[in-house]
């Protein structure tokens, strides 16, 4: 993806100066970038419109909101023009864009056994269990389809 095009389109969309657009990952479902706006770092997630529906992304954001209400840490979703999900054209391709608060942290080094160990997996499992309980008891039902196979182009 063209970083300059992403920066220009983010500037047009947000009406703010965007600096230091840096790719973090690109995969089958999303392209993720970090960028600087108003002296703060943010994450932009670009999802090809052919890969996921807006309703599916909104459901994911609702799930994050339900987790946050129940003390599971999730990044804030940043609205642009009062929308959590909006469309953006990059390199003549249509994407849904979602912007998140950047959370400063260190990457997990799976080769570091002082971190990647039984205690880590215990805490990870405990958190996933909390997430399942919240999703089962949440008054806000979140529709997510059952995934059966990858629909790569």
């Amino acid at each position: 993806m063209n970083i300059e095009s992403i920066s220009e389109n983010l500037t047009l969309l947000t009406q703010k100066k965007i600096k230091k657009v840096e790719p973090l990952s690109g995969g089958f479902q999303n392209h993720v970038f970090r960028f600087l706006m108003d002296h703060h770092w943010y994450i932009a997630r670009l999802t090809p419109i052919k890969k996921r529906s807006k309703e599916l992304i909104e459901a994911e954001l609702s799930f994050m909101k339900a987790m946050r209400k129940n003390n599971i840490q999730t990044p804030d979703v940043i609205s642009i023009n009062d929308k959590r999900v909006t469309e953006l054209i990059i390199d003549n391709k249509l994407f849904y864009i979602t912007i998140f608060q950047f959370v400063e942290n260190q990457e997990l080094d799976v080769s570091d056994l002082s971190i990647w160990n039984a205690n880590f997996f215990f805490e990870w499992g405990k958190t996933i269990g909390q997430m399942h309980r919240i999703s089962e008891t949440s008054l806000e039902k979140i529709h997510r389809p059952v995934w059966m196979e990858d629909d790569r182009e």
Side-chain angles (χ1 to χ4, degrees):
M1 284 197 135
N2 181 331
I3 297 296
E4 188 63 35
S5 180
I6 293 168
S7 181
E8 289 171 8
N9 282 286
L10 276 172
T11 297
L12 287 172
L13 182 66
T14 62
Q15 298 296 301
K16 296 184 180 203
K17 181 65 179 160
I18 302 300
K19 299 178 184 176
K20 299 184 180 181
V21 176
E22 303 169 354
L24 296 180
S25 71
F28 295 117
Q29 297 296 327
N30 302 298
H31 301 277
V32 182
F33 299 86
R34 180 171 79 157
F35 67 94
L36 199 58
M37 178 176 70
D38 293 336
H39 307 289
H40 297 284
W41 286 103
Y42 295 91
I43 298 295
R45 182 182 67 185
L46 298 170
T47 305
I49 206 164
K50 293 180 180 180
K51 293 287 184 178
R52 296 174 68 207
S53 70
K54 186 175 182 179
E55 292 75 25
L56 195 57
I57 296 169
E58 288 285 359
E60 178 183 66
L61 299 178
S62 294
F63 178 78
M64 290 175 63
K65 184 178 179 181
M67 294 302 115
R68 186 180 200 96
K69 282 182 184 177
N70 287 278
N71 300 316
I72 301 288
Q73 294 180 4
T74 64
D76 286 332
V77 177
I78 308 302
S79 293
I80 300 173
N81 302 324
D82 296 323
K83 295 179 184 176
R84 299 187 308 174
V85 181
T86 192
E87 294 179 6
L88 190 65
I89 297 173
I90 304 286
D91 300 333
N92 295 318
K93 295 180 184 167
L94 190 57
F95 294 89
Y96 289 120
I97 183 168
T98 310
I99 297 179
F100 300 93
Q101 160 199 17
F102 179 77
V103 178
E104 190 69 49
N105 209 335
Q106 70 180 33
E107 289 186 35
L108 182 63
D109 181 357
V110 297
S111 66
D112 184 350
L113 298 181
S114 70
I115 298 169
W116 190 253
N117 56 33
N119 187 54
F120 171 83
F121 285 103
F122 177 79
E123 291 300 322
W124 190 3
K126 196 164 85 172
T127 301
I128 291 171
Q130 288 174 313
M131 292 170 70
H132 281 289
R133 277 188 296 286
I134 292 165
S135 67
E136 288 174 350
T137 60
S138 177
L139 296 176
E140 183 177 346
K141 293 301 173 193
I142 300 161
H143 172 70
R144 296 281 293 181
V146 176
W147 179 76
M148 299 303 267
E149 60 185 67
D150 191 1
D151 58 350
R152 297 180 204 175
E153 291 180 25

